[in-house]
Amino acid sequence: MSILSGRIQKVLNEMGGKGFILQTPTGKQIPVIISGDFQVEKLNFVTVRGDFIEHPTFGVYFKGYQIILSNYQARENLIKFLGSGVIKGLGVRYARKLVDFLEANNLNLEDYFKSSWKEIPGIPLKVTKRLKNFLDSLTPKLRIIFELTKLGLSHTSAEKVFNLYGELALEKIYENPYAALRKIEGFRFRKVDNLAKKLNLPEDNPERLSFAIEEVLLEALEQGHTCLPTKDLLKRAKKVCGEVSDTSLENCLENLIKTDSLREVDGNVGPKSIVDLEEKCSAEIFNRVSSTSNLAKNHFANLKESELMGLSDEQIRAIEFSLKEKLVLISGGPGTGKTTVISALWKILNGENVVLASPTGKAAQRLATLCNSDTFTLHRLLKLDPKSGFQRYTKNNPLPANYIIVDEASMIDIDLFYRLLTSSKDDTRLILVGDKDQLPPVSPGNVFHDLINFQQIPKVFLTRIFRRKEGSDISLLAQKIINSQPKLALEIMRNSKEIVFYPFESPDEASNLLLSILHKDILASDPYLANTLIITPTNRGPLGADEINRNVANLISPRLDKFKFQPGDKVIQRKNNYDLNGIAVFNGDVGQILETNPTKKSVVVEFWDGRIGVYSKTTIEQLGLGYCLTVHKAQGQEADTVILVMDRSHFIILNRSLFYTAVTRAKKRLIVISPVKTVWTAILKTQGAQRFSLLGNFLSKKFRPA
């Protein structure tokens, strides 16, 4: 059976309305005869299922068995398409006037311009002529894209569909939009489902249910999970699908597992590629932990007493493990001497081919200052391009390093960890330094936490807080938060010289407080907040990062036009870009605006390590103001002064780990703007911090006694 889509150019009345001439988006005109109780009209857009028949007298025609009528006109998408710049001089304002005129006179756009036409009120005649010329000269590609926009797709989305399916794009969507669109980037379930409903597809369509299950898992991945318990997955999928039977969903899930799209392990289901990655990581970890190096053991025995002078017993044990074992974890909160251990190791191993790295640029910059040495983000260290899948260092071409020390290791996701393991030599010592109580990584996985839970993996916990002139109260506050002691935490916040606590009643009061603090206390000595970091739990809302950034940017340098950036602005990269005019920039990289061109919507940015990024109109959306960050974005960063803004509206995502992570970004001074009740909630709440992953399951099987 074949499928045809197009617009009816002529109804063959002599056949009782059951025949018509169909013009496809590519311009072909095909006679169609349909069976069944259908009524069609000229200019209807239809999709017909049937077969080509060769008649000895009438020649080749298309015999249709099923027809789908589409009278849906996506008004706003049509306006966006016409006003997108494809026609010189026809912007959104004129496009809206054009569509208003057509609707008011019950006219079809293409039909109007094929017949006699006149000037459209409010639109210059020369622009109208360009529109007619555009319609007369539509290529097959543009005609199909044009029709796709009328189905409700944006011009960009329609172009993606055409690039994949070519002239079959419309037929593919009408046949089954779930199957056609689920593998194209940017098409999420709800968007495709809305389109499919206009085509009257059944809700229990297997492709729809499979798409819904995969959508739930994709949302879980975006939340950091690598899998979901099967019951939880089905429950979420049913919520997405609406009224469909449990059996239908279960059958679809079973089929996805059978066809290797998904993988089930111990009652949990995840994308096969991610679950396989966790299994491979467990094998690599087991191999490292199961073998040791005599050379490394001798290294510690030969240390001079002076090399360990001033270190605590915990810190010495951390150094001993780092020199003896192929994989070691060092975990500690703020003020417990993690950086001291790294610095001591760097000095001890001088000349031993040591590499210092971190998941984020800011943390790598901090390491460079600490050890007076070159440091790397993990992406740069591994010469990694996830977009293309290229990885310079592999098992056959490993990193030429004897020791790799990774700071802020709690931020490493499962994909990056696997690449790190498979990029290093079998006898390379891997030293992971982090804080088990911080938030898990933004991307899928919970590597550091999963490894901490295994007795067989060498680890050292740094628990002693070193009293120092600066930061001790912040360290004590962090300890009270993680120990779930809100009363003592509030006592510290109210009485400390290093911590200032501002309770508030309304978001407006909080916003005014923040701007007043900046104006009176911060900007005189730190005009672009280079040493100040504002943190909040979320991007959205009156006290979200987006709104705070707008307000702070206007306070620092009032915006005189609609362009949101000005020279001096602190900015952050929002997504990985492996070729930004010749340089690679990564999600979370921070920098400062050097130059702006509001007319061309372009900026020049200097990043933390001296890289110069040139942003054009097409890439500038990847850049955001960086005065205020969400707690997740602030991981790996530190600042002399941290201002934390929390509100009762953040309740859903507030938890102990989030509050702890925010507080531990402060080196010298912490300012907390929050209702008292919100502080209590954040400290007592653990719900939401759980992360589903399978690395621990695989490790349990590896380390299980024979």
Side-chain angles (χ1 to χ4, degrees), residues 55 114 124 144 185 205 235 277 290 407 430 497 545 571 681:
H55 193 276
K114 283 179 181 176
I144 289 172
E185 183 183 359
N205 182 310
K235 182 179 178 181
L277 209 57
S290 301
D407 193 18
L430 185 57
K497 293 181 179 179
V571 289
T681 299

Side-chain angles (χ1 to χ4, degrees), residues 35-56:
S35 58
D37 186 19
F38 295 105
Q39 291 296 323
V40 295
E41 297 177 3
K42 184 180 177 182
L43 299 180
N44 277 162
F45 192 90
V46 299
T47 290
V48 186
R49 291 181 174 88
D51 295 299
F52 282 98
I53 304 293
E54 186 168 356
H55 193 276

Side-chain angles (χ1 to χ4, degrees), residues 130-159:
R130 289 190 195 123
L131 172 60
K132 174 174 170 42
N133 292 336
F134 168 78
L135 293 172
D136 288 343
S137 62
L138 276 177
T139 63
K141 175 180 178 178
L142 277 177
R143 187 169 291 281
I144 289 172
I145 289 175
F146 191 25
E147 293 296 345
L148 287 171
T149 62
K150 294 178 182 179
L151 289 175
L153 300 184
S154 68
H155 181 271
T156 302
S157 296
E159 196 161 23

Side-chain angles (χ1 to χ4, degrees), residues 568-573 588-593 605-608 626:
D569 274 343
K570 190 175 179 180
V571 289
I572 184 168
Q573 176 74 9
D589 274 351
V590 293
Q592 189 174 35
I593 300 281
V605 177
E606 181 178 9
F607 287 100
W608 61 274

Side-chain angles (χ1 to χ4, degrees), residues 553-588:
N554 272 303
L555 176 67
I556 292 174
S557 182
R559 314 287 117 153
L560 302 178
D561 50 44
K562 292 183 179 181
F563 196 56
K564 68 178 179 180
F565 297 117
Q566 290 196 12
D569 274 343
K570 190 175 179 180
V571 289
I572 184 168
Q573 176 74 9
R574 289 173 166 170
K575 63 182 290 187
N576 291 341
N577 186 329
Y578 303 98
D579 186 15
L580 179 70
N581 289 306
I583 69 166
V585 288
F586 301 102
N587 190 359

